[in-house]
Amino acid sequence: MTKYIFITGGVVSSLGKGIVAASLGRLFVSRGYKVSTQKFDPYINVDPGTMSPYQHGEVFVCDDGAETDLDLGHYERFLDKNLSRINNVTSGSVYQTVIEKERKGEYLGATVQMIPHITEEIKSRIKKAVTKDNPDILIVEIGGTVGDIEGLPFIEAIRQFKIEQGIANSLSLHVTLLPYLNTSGELKTKPTQHSVNVLRSYGIQPEMLVLRTQVPVEKSEKDKIALFCSVNKDCVIECKDMKSIYEVPLYLEKQGICDRICEILHLEKREPNLKNWEELVDRIHNPKREINIAIAGKYTSLNDAYLSVVESLHHTGFKTNTKINIKWIASDDIKSQNQVSELLKDTDGVIVPGGFGQRGIEGKLEIVRYARENNLPYLGLCLGMQCAVIEFARNVAGLSGANSEEFDKNVKYKVVHLMENQKNIEKLGATMRIGAYPCKLDKLSKSYSVYKTENISERHRHRYEFNNEYRKILTDKGLLIAGTSPNGELVEVIEYPKNDWFVAVQFHPEFKSRPDNPHPLFMGLVEACLKRAGK
Ligand code: GLN
């Protein structure tokens, strides 16, 4: 029978509930439990696919093509498990289902209401996640902060769910902030007390609190919180800011969080096997060398916009005992090769990540040109491949002004374009080539040498494709088509073989990198950077 852990947040958002959820998942996996996770997002968008990265950070893509919250990336990385559409539920998707049912007359004349119709739909999503994964433990994280209007139906649904499943089968864990006041040198517990009061007013008494804090919390403070919030003393757990998110599972483990949860949920207490994870954290703390890698994008003021790319670089760093310093480059500001050479003078490699729209493209093309002409290791991701194709067409193949249809509809040399069968798609939501697609690599390519296999599967999220009309012209000039769809029609990987590492892919390898198993393409990049830096 599945046990449930419901995680809510209090006081402020961005507390790292997702990391707490993912860390708990890891701790139970390390005890041999089968764990799955689900994120509830109270906003009305059907999925985050149409949101600006500034609003929401990165859109994480699952194998099945679900466009999801970035917390699913944390879950996949910490649990080493692929998730899917059912693991991310938004208010928008819940309302959409209920309204569709209403239009079909499925409610048989009833007045359709928040309770029971919306709450029933939410509960049915929890059950679907259980049916799909059949986990011993399902961890459900409710996005936002307790008290948000949009979150109320989710809170009510989990209240009902707890009762229906039997009290001992589920647990509420509330993550809150203890603000530290510099002037008086104190941690304040009052916001936590208020937040728990709000949760209680909705009928949920948390069994466990996780306190987010900059500084260690004294036992006396924890006991006070326990008393005021009616939580057992040993269920008030501290979660201090850490240097690396991958330390969090070990920090929580030390405080016995899982044993307490096992007691509450009547689960067998088991010894965890955290040896690999401890080794990982040890490597994180003891790098033997450093390199600098630039990421050139247009959302550089919000690092979360490229979260999985950053994580993938770090994973590669863990494996190669290298501290990877990331240099953010705002591509809009770049106008010339001189400027690029100045910006990249201390970097050992560069990534152009995914993106949409024209802003910053010319700057990205300058970066690609610099990398290609100066043998600076380059990894292009999705838009980063399209830029590499445009740059090569313009500057090597002499197709002056070549561009992508996305940036110039009437351009003469449309080297990246919409394929015929995509032309009449008008809606923006969920209309891309998205999710996992197979790809076949050329055995003579650098990509093959790092993947060490011919047939790969990677996740996509884009509308435009390499234009096959230009295949011959570009390959005659030295571009290598290193990977295509199995039928050969879609170009998925290109390389510039003259360089040590110039690889660009139409997909997003960053979604599949794991802390203890970095992605081969990021390994290829980092190894080339290390070689170039003579390290
Ligand atoms: N804007 C490009 C396209 O839609 C690339 C998308 C991306 O980088 N994810 O094809």
mmCIF file of all heavy atoms in Angstrom, residues 97-130:
data_model
loop_
_atom_site.group_PDB
_atom_site.id
_atom_site.type_symbol
_atom_site.label_atom_id
_atom_site.label_comp_id
_atom_site.label_asym_id
_atom_site.label_seq_id
_atom_site.Cartn_x
_atom_site.Cartn_y
_atom_site.Cartn_z
ATOM 1 N N THR A 97 -9.639 19.849 -17.587
ATOM 2 C CA THR A 97 -10.315 18.543 -17.593
ATOM 3 C C THR A 97 -11.752 18.664 -17.101
ATOM 4 O O THR A 97 -12.684 18.115 -17.697
ATOM 5 C CB THR A 97 -9.558 17.543 -16.685
ATOM 6 O OG1 THR A 97 -8.212 17.499 -17.107
ATOM 7 C CG2 THR A 97 -10.161 16.157 -16.747
ATOM 8 N N VAL A 98 -11.925 19.426 -16.010
ATOM 9 C CA VAL A 98 -13.267 19.530 -15.426
ATOM 10 C C VAL A 98 -14.201 20.249 -16.412
ATOM 11 O O VAL A 98 -15.341 19.825 -16.626
ATOM 12 C CB VAL A 98 -13.199 20.266 -14.061
ATOM 13 C CG1 VAL A 98 -14.599 20.613 -13.551
ATOM 14 C CG2 VAL A 98 -12.465 19.399 -13.047
ATOM 15 N N ILE A 99 -13.697 21.292 -17.044
ATOM 16 C CA ILE A 99 -14.557 22.045 -17.976
ATOM 17 C C ILE A 99 -14.876 21.183 -19.210
ATOM 18 O O ILE A 99 -16.018 21.181 -19.689
ATOM 19 C CB ILE A 99 -13.896 23.386 -18.355
ATOM 20 C CG1 ILE A 99 -13.926 24.316 -17.135
ATOM 21 C CG2 ILE A 99 -14.641 24.066 -19.515
ATOM 22 C CD1 ILE A 99 -13.106 25.581 -17.272
ATOM 23 N N GLU A 100 -13.890 20.432 -19.674
ATOM 24 C CA GLU A 100 -14.185 19.537 -20.815
ATOM 25 C C GLU A 100 -15.265 18.522 -20.453
ATOM 26 O O GLU A 100 -16.179 18.255 -21.224
ATOM 27 C CB GLU A 100 -12.905 18.806 -21.260
ATOM 28 C CG GLU A 100 -12.066 19.636 -22.224
ATOM 29 C CD GLU A 100 -10.649 19.089 -22.410
ATOM 30 O OE1 GLU A 100 -10.361 17.959 -21.944
ATOM 31 O OE2 GLU A 100 -9.828 19.826 -23.017
ATOM 32 N N LYS A 101 -15.176 17.978 -19.240
ATOM 33 C CA LYS A 101 -16.187 17.005 -18.805
ATOM 34 C C LYS A 101 -17.560 17.673 -18.709
ATOM 35 O O LYS A 101 -18.571 17.102 -19.092
ATOM 36 C CB LYS A 101 -15.833 16.449 -17.417
ATOM 37 C CG LYS A 101 -14.791 15.357 -17.428
ATOM 38 C CD LYS A 101 -14.775 14.723 -16.037
ATOM 39 C CE LYS A 101 -13.636 13.761 -15.865
ATOM 40 N NZ LYS A 101 -13.453 13.392 -14.456
ATOM 41 N N GLU A 102 -17.559 18.877 -18.197
ATOM 42 C CA GLU A 102 -18.824 19.613 -18.056
ATOM 43 C C GLU A 102 -19.452 19.831 -19.430
ATOM 44 O O GLU A 102 -20.643 19.605 -19.635
ATOM 45 C CB GLU A 102 -18.551 20.953 -17.350
ATOM 46 C CG GLU A 102 -19.798 21.795 -17.080
ATOM 47 C CD GLU A 102 -20.218 22.686 -18.246
ATOM 48 O OE1 GLU A 102 -19.350 23.070 -19.062
ATOM 49 O OE2 GLU A 102 -21.407 22.985 -18.363
ATOM 50 N N ARG A 103 -18.616 20.213 -20.419
ATOM 51 C CA ARG A 103 -19.130 20.451 -21.772
ATOM 52 C C ARG A 103 -19.705 19.180 -22.394
ATOM 53 O O ARG A 103 -20.616 19.223 -23.205
ATOM 54 C CB ARG A 103 -18.020 21.014 -22.692
ATOM 55 C CG ARG A 103 -17.542 22.416 -22.367
ATOM 56 C CD ARG A 103 -18.548 23.487 -22.707
ATOM 57 N NE ARG A 103 -19.563 23.720 -21.699
ATOM 58 C CZ ARG A 103 -20.631 24.501 -21.871
ATOM 59 N NH1 ARG A 103 -20.833 25.129 -22.999
ATOM 60 N NH2 ARG A 103 -21.512 24.664 -20.903
ATOM 61 N N LYS A 104 -19.129 18.054 -22.017
ATOM 62 C CA LYS A 104 -19.636 16.786 -22.562
ATOM 63 C C LYS A 104 -20.842 16.290 -21.784
ATOM 64 O O LYS A 104 -21.350 15.196 -22.057
ATOM 65 C CB LYS A 104 -18.534 15.723 -22.501
ATOM 66 C CG LYS A 104 -17.442 15.912 -23.545
ATOM 67 C CD LYS A 104 -16.533 14.680 -23.529
ATOM 68 C CE LYS A 104 -15.158 15.015 -24.058
ATOM 69 N NZ LYS A 104 -14.101 14.256 -23.371
ATOM 70 N N GLY A 105 -21.248 17.031 -20.770
ATOM 71 C CA GLY A 105 -22.412 16.627 -19.983
ATOM 72 C C GLY A 105 -22.127 15.501 -19.012
ATOM 73 O O GLY A 105 -23.034 14.837 -18.509
ATOM 74 N N GLU A 106 -20.844 15.288 -18.709
ATOM 75 C CA GLU A 106 -20.517 14.138 -17.863
ATOM 76 C C GLU A 106 -20.910 14.319 -16.399
ATOM 77 O O GLU A 106 -20.865 13.370 -15.622
ATOM 78 C CB GLU A 106 -19.021 13.816 -17.969
ATOM 79 C CG GLU A 106 -18.682 13.171 -19.296
ATOM 80 C CD GLU A 106 -17.219 12.774 -19.424
ATOM 81 O OE1 GLU A 106 -16.555 12.544 -18.396
ATOM 82 O OE2 GLU A 106 -16.751 12.711 -20.570
ATOM 83 N N TYR A 107 -21.246 15.546 -16.002
ATOM 84 C CA TYR A 107 -21.653 15.741 -14.601
ATOM 85 C C TYR A 107 -23.169 15.607 -14.418
ATOM 86 O O TYR A 107 -23.708 15.925 -13.370
ATOM 87 C CB TYR A 107 -21.126 17.075 -14.069
ATOM 88 C CG TYR A 107 -19.604 17.117 -13.977
ATOM 89 C CD1 TYR A 107 -18.859 17.994 -14.740
ATOM 90 C CD2 TYR A 107 -18.933 16.247 -13.123
ATOM 91 C CE1 TYR A 107 -17.471 18.022 -14.659
ATOM 92 C CE2 TYR A 107 -17.550 16.265 -13.036
ATOM 93 C CZ TYR A 107 -16.816 17.152 -13.812
ATOM 94 O OH TYR A 107 -15.449 17.165 -13.729
ATOM 95 N N LEU A 108 -23.849 15.175 -15.463
ATOM 96 C CA LEU A 108 -25.272 14.813 -15.390
ATOM 97 C C LEU A 108 -26.130 15.897 -14.757
ATOM 98 O O LEU A 108 -26.941 15.633 -13.871
ATOM 99 C CB LEU A 108 -25.438 13.496 -14.614
ATOM 100 C CG LEU A 108 -24.587 12.334 -15.114
ATOM 101 C CD1 LEU A 108 -24.733 11.116 -14.195
ATOM 102 C CD2 LEU A 108 -24.983 11.954 -16.542
ATOM 103 N N GLY A 109 -25.914 17.113 -15.163
ATOM 104 C CA GLY A 109 -26.791 18.191 -14.702
ATOM 105 C C GLY A 109 -26.390 18.823 -13.388
ATOM 106 O O GLY A 109 -27.041 19.762 -12.930
ATOM 107 N N ALA A 110 -25.337 18.328 -12.750
ATOM 108 C CA ALA A 110 -24.937 18.900 -11.458
ATOM 109 C C ALA A 110 -24.360 20.303 -11.640
ATOM 110 O O ALA A 110 -23.876 20.642 -12.716
ATOM 111 C CB ALA A 110 -23.888 18.008 -10.804
ATOM 112 N N THR A 111 -24.429 21.125 -10.590
ATOM 113 C CA THR A 111 -23.711 22.391 -10.579
ATOM 114 C C THR A 111 -22.251 22.032 -10.356
ATOM 115 O O THR A 111 -21.917 21.358 -9.381
ATOM 116 C CB THR A 111 -24.183 23.265 -9.405
ATOM 117 O OG1 THR A 111 -25.589 23.394 -9.501
ATOM 118 C CG2 THR A 111 -23.518 24.628 -9.426
ATOM 119 N N VAL A 112 -21.373 22.466 -11.260
ATOM 120 C CA VAL A 112 -19.959 22.082 -11.129
ATOM 121 C C VAL A 112 -19.263 23.058 -10.185
ATOM 122 O O VAL A 112 -19.325 24.274 -10.395
ATOM 123 C CB VAL A 112 -19.288 22.038 -12.514
ATOM 124 C CG1 VAL A 112 -17.823 21.651 -12.386
ATOM 125 C CG2 VAL A 112 -20.011 21.045 -13.420
ATOM 126 N N GLN A 113 -18.617 22.510 -9.160
ATOM 127 C CA GLN A 113 -18.080 23.366 -8.094
ATOM 128 C C GLN A 113 -16.636 23.010 -7.716
ATOM 129 O O GLN A 113 -16.141 21.934 -8.071
ATOM 130 C CB GLN A 113 -18.965 23.203 -6.850
ATOM 131 C CG GLN A 113 -20.348 23.786 -7.067
ATOM 132 C CD GLN A 113 -21.226 23.577 -5.863
ATOM 133 O OE1 GLN A 113 -21.467 22.440 -5.465
ATOM 134 N NE2 GLN A 113 -21.685 24.675 -5.295
ATOM 135 N N MET A 114 -16.042 23.948 -6.983
ATOM 136 C CA MET A 114 -14.671 23.718 -6.500
ATOM 137 C C MET A 114 -14.617 22.416 -5.703
ATOM 138 O O MET A 114 -13.745 21.573 -5.912
ATOM 139 C CB MET A 114 -14.282 24.916 -5.620
ATOM 140 C CG MET A 114 -12.830 25.204 -5.548
ATOM 141 S SD MET A 114 -12.104 25.477 -7.157
ATOM 142 C CE MET A 114 -12.031 27.231 -7.227
ATOM 143 N N ILE A 115 -15.539 22.301 -4.734
ATOM 144 C CA ILE A 115 -15.703 21.047 -4.011
ATOM 145 C C ILE A 115 -17.095 20.541 -4.392
ATOM 146 O O ILE A 115 -18.055 21.285 -4.223
ATOM 147 C CB ILE A 115 -15.670 21.255 -2.480
ATOM 148 C CG1 ILE A 115 -14.383 21.989 -2.090
ATOM 149 C CG2 ILE A 115 -15.804 19.927 -1.748
ATOM 150 C CD1 ILE A 115 -14.368 22.456 -0.638
ATOM 151 N N PRO A 116 -17.270 19.369 -4.925
ATOM 152 C CA PRO A 116 -16.291 18.285 -5.013
ATOM 153 C C PRO A 116 -15.549 18.173 -6.359
ATOM 154 O O PRO A 116 -14.612 17.388 -6.434
ATOM 155 C CB PRO A 116 -17.181 17.053 -4.858
ATOM 156 C CG PRO A 116 -18.445 17.439 -5.577
ATOM 157 C CD PRO A 116 -18.618 18.916 -5.308
ATOM 158 N N HIS A 117 -15.962 18.925 -7.406
ATOM 159 C CA HIS A 117 -15.479 18.525 -8.741
ATOM 160 C C HIS A 117 -13.990 18.777 -8.951
ATOM 161 O O HIS A 117 -13.278 17.914 -9.439
ATOM 162 C CB HIS A 117 -16.341 19.193 -9.823
ATOM 163 C CG HIS A 117 -17.781 18.816 -9.672
ATOM 164 N ND1 HIS A 117 -18.700 19.615 -9.023
ATOM 165 C CD2 HIS A 117 -18.434 17.686 -10.007
ATOM 166 C CE1 HIS A 117 -19.874 19.008 -8.989
ATOM 167 N NE2 HIS A 117 -19.734 17.832 -9.579
ATOM 168 N N ILE A 118 -13.553 19.986 -8.577
ATOM 169 C CA ILE A 118 -12.120 20.270 -8.746
ATOM 170 C C ILE A 118 -11.297 19.398 -7.792
ATOM 171 O O ILE A 118 -10.289 18.792 -8.185
ATOM 172 C CB ILE A 118 -11.840 21.779 -8.508
ATOM 173 C CG1 ILE A 118 -12.567 22.635 -9.562
ATOM 174 C CG2 ILE A 118 -10.346 22.067 -8.482
ATOM 175 C CD1 ILE A 118 -12.023 22.535 -10.987
ATOM 176 N N THR A 119 -11.730 19.317 -6.549
ATOM 177 C CA THR A 119 -10.949 18.525 -5.579
ATOM 178 C C THR A 119 -10.917 17.044 -5.977
ATOM 179 O O THR A 119 -9.893 16.380 -5.819
ATOM 180 C CB THR A 119 -11.502 18.696 -4.146
ATOM 181 O OG1 THR A 119 -12.922 18.576 -4.185
ATOM 182 C CG2 THR A 119 -11.125 20.053 -3.584
ATOM 183 N N GLU A 120 -12.031 16.534 -6.496
ATOM 184 C CA GLU A 120 -12.036 15.121 -6.940
ATOM 185 C C GLU A 120 -11.040 14.916 -8.073
ATOM 186 O O GLU A 120 -10.343 13.904 -8.129
ATOM 187 C CB GLU A 120 -13.433 14.693 -7.421
ATOM 188 C CG GLU A 120 -14.443 14.455 -6.313
ATOM 189 C CD GLU A 120 -14.016 13.391 -5.299
ATOM 190 O OE1 GLU A 120 -13.447 12.361 -5.708
ATOM 191 O OE2 GLU A 120 -14.230 13.632 -4.096
ATOM 192 N N GLU A 121 -10.996 15.895 -8.996
ATOM 193 C CA GLU A 121 -10.059 15.763 -10.113
ATOM 194 C C GLU A 121 -8.612 15.769 -9.598
ATOM 195 O O GLU A 121 -7.780 14.986 -10.053
ATOM 196 C CB GLU A 121 -10.293 16.896 -11.130
ATOM 197 C CG GLU A 121 -9.373 16.885 -12.350
ATOM 198 C CD GLU A 121 -9.399 15.597 -13.169
ATOM 199 O OE1 GLU A 121 -10.444 14.918 -13.200
ATOM 200 O OE2 GLU A 121 -8.351 15.265 -13.760
ATOM 201 N N ILE A 122 -8.344 16.617 -8.616
ATOM 202 C CA ILE A 122 -6.980 16.647 -8.054
ATOM 203 C C ILE A 122 -6.649 15.289 -7.415
ATOM 204 O O ILE A 122 -5.584 14.710 -7.661
ATOM 205 C CB ILE A 122 -6.831 17.784 -7.017
ATOM 206 C CG1 ILE A 122 -6.983 19.142 -7.714
ATOM 207 C CG2 ILE A 122 -5.487 17.693 -6.293
ATOM 208 C CD1 ILE A 122 -7.076 20.339 -6.764
ATOM 209 N N LYS A 123 -7.595 14.782 -6.641
ATOM 210 C CA LYS A 123 -7.341 13.488 -5.980
ATOM 211 C C LYS A 123 -7.153 12.380 -7.009
ATOM 212 O O LYS A 123 -6.339 11.474 -6.820
ATOM 213 C CB LYS A 123 -8.481 13.149 -5.008
ATOM 214 C CG LYS A 123 -8.460 14.020 -3.760
ATOM 215 C CD LYS A 123 -9.495 13.571 -2.741
ATOM 216 C CE LYS A 123 -10.878 14.040 -3.128
ATOM 217 N NZ LYS A 123 -11.923 13.556 -2.213
ATOM 218 N N SER A 124 -7.901 12.481 -8.113
ATOM 219 C CA SER A 124 -7.771 11.428 -9.128
ATOM 220 C C SER A 124 -6.381 11.464 -9.775
ATOM 221 O O SER A 124 -5.842 10.439 -10.179
ATOM 222 C CB SER A 124 -8.878 11.525 -10.179
ATOM 223 O OG SER A 124 -8.476 12.407 -11.207
ATOM 224 N N ARG A 125 -5.783 12.668 -9.828
ATOM 225 C CA ARG A 125 -4.421 12.753 -10.385
ATOM 226 C C ARG A 125 -3.424 12.046 -9.448
ATOM 227 O O ARG A 125 -2.466 11.434 -9.901
ATOM 228 C CB ARG A 125 -3.998 14.209 -10.567
ATOM 229 C CG ARG A 125 -4.893 15.031 -11.469
ATOM 230 C CD ARG A 125 -4.741 14.671 -12.942
ATOM 231 N NE ARG A 125 -5.637 15.487 -13.750
ATOM 232 C CZ ARG A 125 -5.268 16.586 -14.418
ATOM 233 N NH1 ARG A 125 -4.010 16.977 -14.415
ATOM 234 N NH2 ARG A 125 -6.161 17.273 -15.112
ATOM 235 N N ILE A 126 -3.636 12.204 -8.139
ATOM 236 C CA ILE A 126 -2.735 11.504 -7.195
ATOM 237 C C ILE A 126 -2.864 9.996 -7.441
ATOM 238 O O ILE A 126 -1.872 9.269 -7.548
ATOM 239 C CB ILE A 126 -3.096 11.822 -5.720
ATOM 240 C CG1 ILE A 126 -3.074 13.331 -5.459
ATOM 241 C CG2 ILE A 126 -2.136 11.092 -4.776
ATOM 242 C CD1 ILE A 126 -3.507 13.730 -4.044
ATOM 243 N N LYS A 127 -4.117 9.556 -7.595
ATOM 244 C CA LYS A 127 -4.331 8.100 -7.779
ATOM 245 C C LYS A 127 -3.719 7.623 -9.088
ATOM 246 O O LYS A 127 -3.194 6.511 -9.173
ATOM 247 C CB LYS A 127 -5.829 7.782 -7.723
ATOM 248 C CG LYS A 127 -6.369 7.905 -6.297
ATOM 249 C CD LYS A 127 -7.866 7.723 -6.240
ATOM 250 C CE LYS A 127 -8.384 8.191 -4.885
ATOM 251 N NZ LYS A 127 -9.779 8.637 -4.937
ATOM 252 N N LYS A 128 -3.779 8.480 -10.111
ATOM 253 C CA LYS A 128 -3.181 8.086 -11.404
ATOM 254 C C LYS A 128 -1.666 7.914 -11.265
ATOM 255 O O LYS A 128 -1.088 7.007 -11.863
ATOM 256 C CB LYS A 128 -3.485 9.132 -12.474
ATOM 257 C CG LYS A 128 -4.860 8.954 -13.072
ATOM 258 C CD LYS A 128 -5.067 9.908 -14.248
ATOM 259 C CE LYS A 128 -6.505 9.811 -14.718
ATOM 260 N NZ LYS A 128 -7.057 11.120 -15.096
ATOM 261 N N ALA A 129 -1.043 8.810 -10.499
ATOM 262 C CA ALA A 129 0.412 8.687 -10.307
ATOM 263 C C ALA A 129 0.723 7.374 -9.596
ATOM 264 O O ALA A 129 1.707 6.701 -9.902
ATOM 265 C CB ALA A 129 0.940 9.873 -9.509
ATOM 266 N N VAL A 130 -0.149 7.003 -8.661
ATOM 267 C CA VAL A 130 0.061 5.750 -7.931
ATOM 268 C C VAL A 130 -0.139 4.562 -8.871
ATOM 269 O O VAL A 130 0.655 3.621 -8.896
ATOM 270 C CB VAL A 130 -0.897 5.671 -6.721
ATOM 271 C CG1 VAL A 130 -0.875 4.276 -6.100
ATOM 272 C CG2 VAL A 130 -0.508 6.721 -5.692
#
